[in-house]
Amino acid sequence: NKGDRNRNRQVKRRRLSGVANGIALGVRRLAVIDLVTGDQPFFDETRSTVAVLNGEIYNFRELRTDLEKRGHKFFSRTDTEVLPHLYEEYGVKMVEKLNGMFAFAVWDSVCRRLFIARDRLGQKPLYYGKFNNQLIFGSEIKALLSHPNVRTSLDIEALREYLVFDCVPAPRSIYEGISKLPAGHSLVVENGEVRIESHWTLNHHKRSPIPSIDEAAEELRWLLDDATRMRLVSDVPLGVLLSGGIDSSTIAAFAEMHSAQSIKTFCIGFEESGFDESSSARHVAEFLGTDHSEECLSAEHCANLLPEIAGWLDEPMSDPSMVPMFFLSRFVRSEVTVALGGDGADELFGGYPSYYAGKLIERYLKLPHFIRKNVIENFIKGLPTPREDIGLSFIAKRFVRALEITDPLARHFSYFGSFSPDEQESLFAPALRSQTYSDVCHPARNLSNLCHFDTTTDTDNMVEIMQFLDMKVYLAEDILTKVDRSSMAVSLEVRSPFLDSRIAEFAAALPRNYKLKCDTMKFAFGKTGKYVLKKAMEPILPASVVNRMKRGFVIPTGSWIKGAMNPLVRELLAPDRIKKQALFDPQYVERLLTEHETSTANHAKKLWSLLVFQLWTENWGTANQRTSLSTGTNF
């Protein structure tokens, strides 16, 4: 109508290129809210402040209402426009007002200040580097690599961290000179200086008085309901990623409650029955009455997808679930543009098996030495080599391997990683070994010092330290990076209600026993994690879902490396290729591959990490040469 056309013309007149003296801002937008007038960048009324955003601000309507009462004028219906006005009111403290997943940049032309911030839990990434006295930043490394001033090479210490953590934790990246802005941090450039500051960290001081478990469950239900409701705002089709576990089923249940019509749910399965969860997802979908769709991932699909994934994965990340996540994202994007997921519940509410293992080791070490060494451990070592990274044999052997590590922090990360520091000594080529002697867990040790506890009320905090580290490292730099890269590659936006900061703060303030309950016989069977979440969902979900054992998003890499993917693995890990790179010992790599192929040992995790790294080098350069591939990015 005529009113809309006039408003559109006003908005177009306000648009600038985002380029001024000494500053340039650009953005590629996935239009989700306000498809007509939501294009960026956005300015304040005086045009002195400009902002660009990657992500979503979920409470933008409440913020806008308050800003309008303060006299601010808006020209669109999008969330991004609140940013320059918030900056006018609160300056860099504006970030404290936001509930969302975001990486944004605000340029203050009066103070000549650049303010960049990343959301509290790291749902949206941000990379930066200083080259030729210029700060260059973006949502993806390939944005920086496409700039002519960026010259960089492989960071060997980052490679070591990748081999331990399956990813490169912030603030490093795989490239020298390019850094990640850590979750919950901001970056300010002013007067020729760059400052990195924390704008949020999780406080573990316990509530007083401590609520009863029923009171806590009721409060959690309300928080999850509200967080899900906020993330349903969209001007494009929306659905839910459903695995059938309690995390995704919780989100699907609340989404269905708030939807005027049956919510769309999506799941993928595997041809291998031991990895297939599609029947569980189907059961939940039938119970909730959702509009459910599913697809099947095979070894052939995986082999075909890997080169495509490597084409956009500009930093190596060896989490095998990257493949099914990309496959699922592409499947989901055929029907919707926004999807809700259940990420974050395990870190916040103590759901990972490694938390059980840490407590179990404490009790195990109290057994007589003779029983431990001569009976239990000898029995476990005699178990057959597991074909895959699942099952009792795999868990038991991983447990015994962890016993050999005395440092609790290094032991915890050994459950996730591929190569221990000692194993890296065998992996690296002789010329590199002398360069890689630093404590690879040192960054994690520094992070653990940021985990604040009230020792007067909770001295048993090792589990919570592990949760905090997983939130900072595994969640922010592995899981959420995996989800962001996989979904953005197909223009799908994934939102995670569990990662609402109110829920994170609520979980951290509860006693450890409300999350990982250790004073029950069920503890020995790994069934007491996420205790308060299970209590909260008992009135809403079937008992079979609430009490279901934790299942990760895993794929049968062990079998696939021996089978359909073996030609690709053999090609990329060939001795001549490894020797030419001069990073790894080709004889050691060949031994790993031969032992795995002959079922002498299960080296699937190690081989997968090396395979992903080789795919990355094929697409993004070598240790001695920068790749100058220019491609699109978020901003």
Side-chain angles (χ1 to χ4, degrees), residues 227-256:
T228 303
R229 174 193 59 79
M230 292 177 71
R231 284 156 181 79
L232 291 172
V233 176
S234 174
D235 293 335
V236 293
L238 180 146
V240 176
L241 310 179
L242 180 63
S243 69
I246 187 172
D247 306 342
S248 62
S249 299
T250 293
I251 303 307
F254 286 117
E256 182 68 20

PDB file of all heavy atoms in Angstrom, residues 227-256:
ATOM      1  N   ALA A 227      11.791 -19.083  27.204  1.00  0.00           N
ATOM      2  CA  ALA A 227      12.914 -19.025  26.268  1.00  0.00           C
ATOM      3  C   ALA A 227      12.518 -19.576  24.904  1.00  0.00           C
ATOM      4  O   ALA A 227      12.921 -19.041  23.857  1.00  0.00           O
ATOM      5  CB  ALA A 227      14.102 -19.803  26.826  1.00  0.00           C
ATOM      6  N   THR A 228      11.728 -20.637  24.891  1.00  0.00           N
ATOM      7  CA  THR A 228      11.265 -21.207  23.618  1.00  0.00           C
ATOM      8  C   THR A 228      10.304 -20.254  22.924  1.00  0.00           C
ATOM      9  O   THR A 228      10.395 -20.034  21.711  1.00  0.00           O
ATOM     10  CB  THR A 228      10.579 -22.569  23.865  1.00  0.00           C
ATOM     11  OG1 THR A 228      11.494 -23.433  24.545  1.00  0.00           O
ATOM     12  CG2 THR A 228      10.161 -23.198  22.545  1.00  0.00           C
ATOM     13  N   ARG A 229       9.387 -19.661  23.701  1.00  0.00           N
ATOM     14  CA  ARG A 229       8.422 -18.714  23.126  1.00  0.00           C
ATOM     15  C   ARG A 229       9.146 -17.559  22.431  1.00  0.00           C
ATOM     16  O   ARG A 229       8.789 -17.175  21.306  1.00  0.00           O
ATOM     17  CB  ARG A 229       7.517 -18.171  24.225  1.00  0.00           C
ATOM     18  CG  ARG A 229       6.555 -17.070  23.765  1.00  0.00           C
ATOM     19  CD  ARG A 229       5.910 -16.361  24.942  1.00  0.00           C
ATOM     20  NE  ARG A 229       6.887 -15.741  25.826  1.00  0.00           N
ATOM     21  CZ  ARG A 229       7.484 -14.572  25.578  1.00  0.00           C
ATOM     22  NH1 ARG A 229       7.208 -13.906  24.447  1.00  0.00           N
ATOM     23  NH2 ARG A 229       8.351 -14.061  26.426  1.00  0.00           N
ATOM     24  N   MET A 230      10.179 -17.012  23.063  1.00  0.00           N
ATOM     25  CA  MET A 230      10.917 -15.883  22.494  1.00  0.00           C
ATOM     26  C   MET A 230      11.583 -16.266  21.176  1.00  0.00           C
ATOM     27  O   MET A 230      11.722 -15.417  20.278  1.00  0.00           O
ATOM     28  CB  MET A 230      11.984 -15.410  23.486  1.00  0.00           C
ATOM     29  CG  MET A 230      11.441 -14.780  24.740  1.00  0.00           C
ATOM     30  SD  MET A 230      12.760 -14.321  25.889  1.00  0.00           S
ATOM     31  CE  MET A 230      13.486 -12.931  25.036  1.00  0.00           C
ATOM     32  N   ARG A 231      11.988 -17.516  21.053  1.00  0.00           N
ATOM     33  CA  ARG A 231      12.720 -17.955  19.859  1.00  0.00           C
ATOM     34  C   ARG A 231      11.807 -18.441  18.739  1.00  0.00           C
ATOM     35  O   ARG A 231      12.291 -18.928  17.715  1.00  0.00           O
ATOM     36  CB  ARG A 231      13.728 -19.037  20.275  1.00  0.00           C
ATOM     37  CG  ARG A 231      14.934 -18.428  20.984  1.00  0.00           C
ATOM     38  CD  ARG A 231      15.632 -19.399  21.902  1.00  0.00           C
ATOM     39  NE  ARG A 231      16.775 -18.768  22.570  1.00  0.00           N
ATOM     40  CZ  ARG A 231      16.680 -17.966  23.629  1.00  0.00           C
ATOM     41  NH1 ARG A 231      15.478 -17.717  24.149  1.00  0.00           N
ATOM     42  NH2 ARG A 231      17.756 -17.423  24.166  1.00  0.00           N
ATOM     43  N   LEU A 232      10.515 -18.306  18.920  1.00  0.00           N
ATOM     44  CA  LEU A 232       9.565 -18.663  17.868  1.00  0.00           C
ATOM     45  C   LEU A 232       9.191 -17.481  16.988  1.00  0.00           C
ATOM     46  O   LEU A 232       8.446 -17.635  16.025  1.00  0.00           O
ATOM     47  CB  LEU A 232       8.290 -19.261  18.491  1.00  0.00           C
ATOM     48  CG  LEU A 232       8.454 -20.635  19.148  1.00  0.00           C
ATOM     49  CD1 LEU A 232       7.175 -21.024  19.881  1.00  0.00           C
ATOM     50  CD2 LEU A 232       8.810 -21.699  18.118  1.00  0.00           C
ATOM     51  N   VAL A 233       9.707 -16.275  17.321  1.00  0.00           N
ATOM     52  CA  VAL A 233       9.412 -15.088  16.516  1.00  0.00           C
ATOM     53  C   VAL A 233      10.141 -15.195  15.184  1.00  0.00           C
ATOM     54  O   VAL A 233      11.370 -15.281  15.135  1.00  0.00           O
ATOM     55  CB  VAL A 233       9.832 -13.806  17.256  1.00  0.00           C
ATOM     56  CG1 VAL A 233       9.610 -12.585  16.374  1.00  0.00           C
ATOM     57  CG2 VAL A 233       9.065 -13.667  18.568  1.00  0.00           C
ATOM     58  N   SER A 234       9.390 -15.211  14.092  1.00  0.00           N
ATOM     59  CA  SER A 234       9.997 -15.380  12.765  1.00  0.00           C
ATOM     60  C   SER A 234       8.986 -14.996  11.697  1.00  0.00           C
ATOM     61  O   SER A 234       7.785 -15.254  11.845  1.00  0.00           O
ATOM     62  CB  SER A 234      10.444 -16.839  12.567  1.00  0.00           C
ATOM     63  OG  SER A 234      10.899 -17.048  11.256  1.00  0.00           O
ATOM     64  N   ASP A 235       9.474 -14.375  10.637  1.00  0.00           N
ATOM     65  CA  ASP A 235       8.631 -14.069   9.476  1.00  0.00           C
ATOM     66  C   ASP A 235       8.809 -15.094   8.368  1.00  0.00           C
ATOM     67  O   ASP A 235       8.361 -14.879   7.248  1.00  0.00           O
ATOM     68  CB  ASP A 235       8.970 -12.669   8.942  1.00  0.00           C
ATOM     69  CG  ASP A 235       8.591 -11.572   9.929  1.00  0.00           C
ATOM     70  OD1 ASP A 235       7.682 -11.810  10.750  1.00  0.00           O
ATOM     71  OD2 ASP A 235       9.211 -10.495   9.893  1.00  0.00           O
ATOM     72  N   VAL A 236       9.489 -16.198   8.676  1.00  0.00           N
ATOM     73  CA  VAL A 236       9.721 -17.279   7.707  1.00  0.00           C
ATOM     74  C   VAL A 236       9.362 -18.602   8.384  1.00  0.00           C
ATOM     75  O   VAL A 236       9.258 -18.681   9.613  1.00  0.00           O
ATOM     76  CB  VAL A 236      11.190 -17.292   7.230  1.00  0.00           C
ATOM     77  CG1 VAL A 236      11.506 -16.052   6.410  1.00  0.00           C
ATOM     78  CG2 VAL A 236      12.143 -17.400   8.420  1.00  0.00           C
ATOM     79  N   PRO A 237       9.170 -19.688   7.617  1.00  0.00           N
ATOM     80  CA  PRO A 237       8.801 -20.986   8.206  1.00  0.00           C
ATOM     81  C   PRO A 237       9.816 -21.473   9.237  1.00  0.00           C
ATOM     82  O   PRO A 237      11.023 -21.265   9.106  1.00  0.00           O
ATOM     83  CB  PRO A 237       8.754 -21.922   6.990  1.00  0.00           C
ATOM     84  CG  PRO A 237       8.473 -21.024   5.838  1.00  0.00           C
ATOM     85  CD  PRO A 237       9.173 -19.743   6.137  1.00  0.00           C
ATOM     86  N   LEU A 238       9.301 -22.164  10.278  1.00  0.00           N
ATOM     87  CA  LEU A 238      10.111 -22.553  11.428  1.00  0.00           C
ATOM     88  C   LEU A 238       9.818 -23.990  11.828  1.00  0.00           C
ATOM     89  O   LEU A 238       8.695 -24.470  11.678  1.00  0.00           O
ATOM     90  CB  LEU A 238       9.822 -21.591  12.579  1.00  0.00           C
ATOM     91  CG  LEU A 238      10.530 -21.769  13.925  1.00  0.00           C
ATOM     92  CD1 LEU A 238      10.777 -20.414  14.564  1.00  0.00           C
ATOM     93  CD2 LEU A 238       9.695 -22.633  14.865  1.00  0.00           C
ATOM     94  N   GLY A 239      10.832 -24.715  12.353  1.00  0.00           N
ATOM     95  CA  GLY A 239      10.662 -26.086  12.813  1.00  0.00           C
ATOM     96  C   GLY A 239      11.580 -26.390  13.987  1.00  0.00           C
ATOM     97  O   GLY A 239      12.219 -25.489  14.549  1.00  0.00           O
ATOM     98  N   VAL A 240      11.654 -27.675  14.368  1.00  0.00           N
ATOM     99  CA  VAL A 240      12.459 -28.115  15.502  1.00  0.00           C
ATOM    100  C   VAL A 240      13.279 -29.332  15.095  1.00  0.00           C
ATOM    101  O   VAL A 240      12.761 -30.244  14.429  1.00  0.00           O
ATOM    102  CB  VAL A 240      11.567 -28.475  16.717  1.00  0.00           C
ATOM    103  CG1 VAL A 240      12.415 -29.030  17.865  1.00  0.00           C
ATOM    104  CG2 VAL A 240      10.781 -27.257  17.192  1.00  0.00           C
ATOM    105  N   LEU A 241      14.567 -29.355  15.488  1.00  0.00           N
ATOM    106  CA  LEU A 241      15.427 -30.515  15.284  1.00  0.00           C
ATOM    107  C   LEU A 241      15.151 -31.502  16.415  1.00  0.00           C
ATOM    108  O   LEU A 241      15.356 -31.178  17.587  1.00  0.00           O
ATOM    109  CB  LEU A 241      16.900 -30.096  15.290  1.00  0.00           C
ATOM    110  CG  LEU A 241      17.284 -28.919  14.387  1.00  0.00           C
ATOM    111  CD1 LEU A 241      18.778 -28.620  14.522  1.00  0.00           C
ATOM    112  CD2 LEU A 241      16.918 -29.195  12.944  1.00  0.00           C
ATOM    113  N   LEU A 242      14.696 -32.697  16.088  1.00  0.00           N
ATOM    114  CA  LEU A 242      14.227 -33.653  17.091  1.00  0.00           C
ATOM    115  C   LEU A 242      14.995 -34.964  16.983  1.00  0.00           C
ATOM    116  O   LEU A 242      14.907 -35.656  15.967  1.00  0.00           O
ATOM    117  CB  LEU A 242      12.730 -33.909  16.914  1.00  0.00           C
ATOM    118  CG  LEU A 242      12.068 -34.879  17.890  1.00  0.00           C
ATOM    119  CD1 LEU A 242      12.145 -34.360  19.323  1.00  0.00           C
ATOM    120  CD2 LEU A 242      10.619 -35.124  17.489  1.00  0.00           C
ATOM    121  N   SER A 243      15.743 -35.312  18.056  1.00  0.00           N
ATOM    122  CA  SER A 243      16.465 -36.584  18.070  1.00  0.00           C
ATOM    123  C   SER A 243      15.714 -37.659  18.836  1.00  0.00           C
ATOM    124  O   SER A 243      15.966 -38.849  18.658  1.00  0.00           O
ATOM    125  CB  SER A 243      17.845 -36.394  18.703  1.00  0.00           C
ATOM    126  OG  SER A 243      17.724 -36.127  20.090  1.00  0.00           O
ATOM    127  N   GLY A 244      14.823 -37.250  19.725  1.00  0.00           N
ATOM    128  CA  GLY A 244      14.109 -38.201  20.564  1.00  0.00           C
ATOM    129  C   GLY A 244      14.628 -38.240  21.986  1.00  0.00           C
ATOM    130  O   GLY A 244      14.031 -38.882  22.846  1.00  0.00           O
ATOM    131  N   GLY A 245      15.756 -37.566  22.263  1.00  0.00           N
ATOM    132  CA  GLY A 245      16.267 -37.453  23.626  1.00  0.00           C
ATOM    133  C   GLY A 245      15.518 -36.383  24.388  1.00  0.00           C
ATOM    134  O   GLY A 245      14.710 -35.628  23.822  1.00  0.00           O
ATOM    135  N   ILE A 246      15.817 -36.238  25.669  1.00  0.00           N
ATOM    136  CA  ILE A 246      15.060 -35.308  26.496  1.00  0.00           C
ATOM    137  C   ILE A 246      15.299 -33.852  26.098  1.00  0.00           C
ATOM    138  O   ILE A 246      14.389 -33.026  26.181  1.00  0.00           O
ATOM    139  CB  ILE A 246      15.369 -35.520  27.998  1.00  0.00           C
ATOM    140  CG1 ILE A 246      14.424 -34.659  28.844  1.00  0.00           C
ATOM    141  CG2 ILE A 246      16.833 -35.231  28.297  1.00  0.00           C
ATOM    142  CD1 ILE A 246      14.512 -34.940  30.325  1.00  0.00           C
ATOM    143  N   ASP A 247      16.517 -33.510  25.618  1.00  0.00           N
ATOM    144  CA  ASP A 247      16.823 -32.117  25.307  1.00  0.00           C
ATOM    145  C   ASP A 247      15.968 -31.601  24.152  1.00  0.00           C
ATOM    146  O   ASP A 247      15.233 -30.613  24.280  1.00  0.00           O
ATOM    147  CB  ASP A 247      18.311 -31.958  24.969  1.00  0.00           C
ATOM    148  CG  ASP A 247      19.210 -32.503  26.058  1.00  0.00           C
ATOM    149  OD1 ASP A 247      18.731 -32.686  27.189  1.00  0.00           O
ATOM    150  OD2 ASP A 247      20.390 -32.756  25.767  1.00  0.00           O
ATOM    151  N   SER A 248      16.065 -32.250  23.003  1.00  0.00           N
ATOM    152  CA  SER A 248      15.304 -31.799  21.838  1.00  0.00           C
ATOM    153  C   SER A 248      13.807 -32.016  22.035  1.00  0.00           C
ATOM    154  O   SER A 248      12.987 -31.225  21.553  1.00  0.00           O
ATOM    155  CB  SER A 248      15.783 -32.515  20.573  1.00  0.00           C
ATOM    156  OG  SER A 248      15.587 -33.913  20.672  1.00  0.00           O
ATOM    157  N   SER A 249      13.425 -33.066  22.757  1.00  0.00           N
ATOM    158  CA  SER A 249      12.001 -33.323  23.008  1.00  0.00           C
ATOM    159  C   SER A 249      11.400 -32.227  23.878  1.00  0.00           C
ATOM    160  O   SER A 249      10.238 -31.842  23.700  1.00  0.00           O
ATOM    161  CB  SER A 249      11.823 -34.680  23.679  1.00  0.00           C
ATOM    162  OG  SER A 249      12.292 -35.731  22.862  1.00  0.00           O
ATOM    163  N   THR A 250      12.189 -31.717  24.831  1.00  0.00           N
ATOM    164  CA  THR A 250      11.729 -30.604  25.667  1.00  0.00           C
ATOM    165  C   THR A 250      11.404 -29.383  24.824  1.00  0.00           C
ATOM    166  O   THR A 250      10.348 -28.756  24.980  1.00  0.00           O
ATOM    167  CB  THR A 250      12.810 -30.258  26.710  1.00  0.00           C
ATOM    168  OG1 THR A 250      12.929 -31.338  27.630  1.00  0.00           O
ATOM    169  CG2 THR A 250      12.473 -28.986  27.457  1.00  0.00           C
ATOM    170  N   ILE A 251      12.310 -29.035  23.905  1.00  0.00           N
ATOM    171  CA  ILE A 251      12.102 -27.867  23.057  1.00  0.00           C
ATOM    172  C   ILE A 251      10.905 -28.083  22.135  1.00  0.00           C
ATOM    173  O   ILE A 251      10.080 -27.179  21.933  1.00  0.00           O
ATOM    174  CB  ILE A 251      13.372 -27.554  22.242  1.00  0.00           C
ATOM    175  CG1 ILE A 251      14.571 -27.342  23.183  1.00  0.00           C
ATOM    176  CG2 ILE A 251      13.155 -26.340  21.358  1.00  0.00           C
ATOM    177  CD1 ILE A 251      14.350 -26.333  24.277  1.00  0.00           C
ATOM    178  N   ALA A 252      10.787 -29.283  21.577  1.00  0.00           N
ATOM    179  CA  ALA A 252       9.647 -29.578  20.705  1.00  0.00           C
ATOM    180  C   ALA A 252       8.336 -29.459  21.461  1.00  0.00           C
ATOM    181  O   ALA A 252       7.332 -28.956  20.924  1.00  0.00           O
ATOM    182  CB  ALA A 252       9.800 -30.977  20.110  1.00  0.00           C
ATOM    183  N   ALA A 253       8.309 -29.913  22.713  1.00  0.00           N
ATOM    184  CA  ALA A 253       7.082 -29.861  23.510  1.00  0.00           C
ATOM    185  C   ALA A 253       6.643 -28.423  23.745  1.00  0.00           C
ATOM    186  O   ALA A 253       5.461 -28.084  23.561  1.00  0.00           O
ATOM    187  CB  ALA A 253       7.302 -30.576  24.844  1.00  0.00           C
ATOM    188  N   PHE A 254       7.565 -27.551  24.142  1.00  0.00           N
ATOM    189  CA  PHE A 254       7.189 -26.159  24.400  1.00  0.00           C
ATOM    190  C   PHE A 254       6.872 -25.416  23.101  1.00  0.00           C
ATOM    191  O   PHE A 254       5.980 -24.555  23.068  1.00  0.00           O
ATOM    192  CB  PHE A 254       8.286 -25.449  25.177  1.00  0.00           C
ATOM    193  CG  PHE A 254       8.361 -25.849  26.621  1.00  0.00           C
ATOM    194  CD1 PHE A 254       9.490 -26.470  27.134  1.00  0.00           C
ATOM    195  CD2 PHE A 254       7.290 -25.627  27.471  1.00  0.00           C
ATOM    196  CE1 PHE A 254       9.561 -26.856  28.461  1.00  0.00           C
ATOM    197  CE2 PHE A 254       7.346 -26.005  28.813  1.00  0.00           C
ATOM    198  CZ  PHE A 254       8.478 -26.626  29.309  1.00  0.00           C
ATOM    199  N   ALA A 255       7.581 -25.744  22.023  1.00  0.00           N
ATOM    200  CA  ALA A 255       7.277 -25.116  20.733  1.00  0.00           C
ATOM    201  C   ALA A 255       5.871 -25.492  20.271  1.00  0.00           C
ATOM    202  O   ALA A 255       5.114 -24.652  19.767  1.00  0.00           O
ATOM    203  CB  ALA A 255       8.311 -25.533  19.694  1.00  0.00           C
ATOM    204  N   GLU A 256       5.498 -26.742  20.453  1.00  0.00           N
ATOM    205  CA  GLU A 256       4.170 -27.201  20.068  1.00  0.00           C
ATOM    206  C   GLU A 256       3.088 -26.495  20.886  1.00  0.00           C
ATOM    207  O   GLU A 256       2.024 -26.156  20.365  1.00  0.00           O
ATOM    208  CB  GLU A 256       4.074 -28.722  20.247  1.00  0.00           C
ATOM    209  CG  GLU A 256       2.751 -29.332  19.832  1.00  0.00           C
ATOM    210  CD  GLU A 256       2.498 -29.278  18.336  1.00  0.00           C
ATOM    211  OE1 GLU A 256       3.466 -29.121  17.560  1.00  0.00           O
ATOM    212  OE2 GLU A 256       1.319 -29.368  17.937  1.00  0.00           O
TER     213      GLU A 256
END
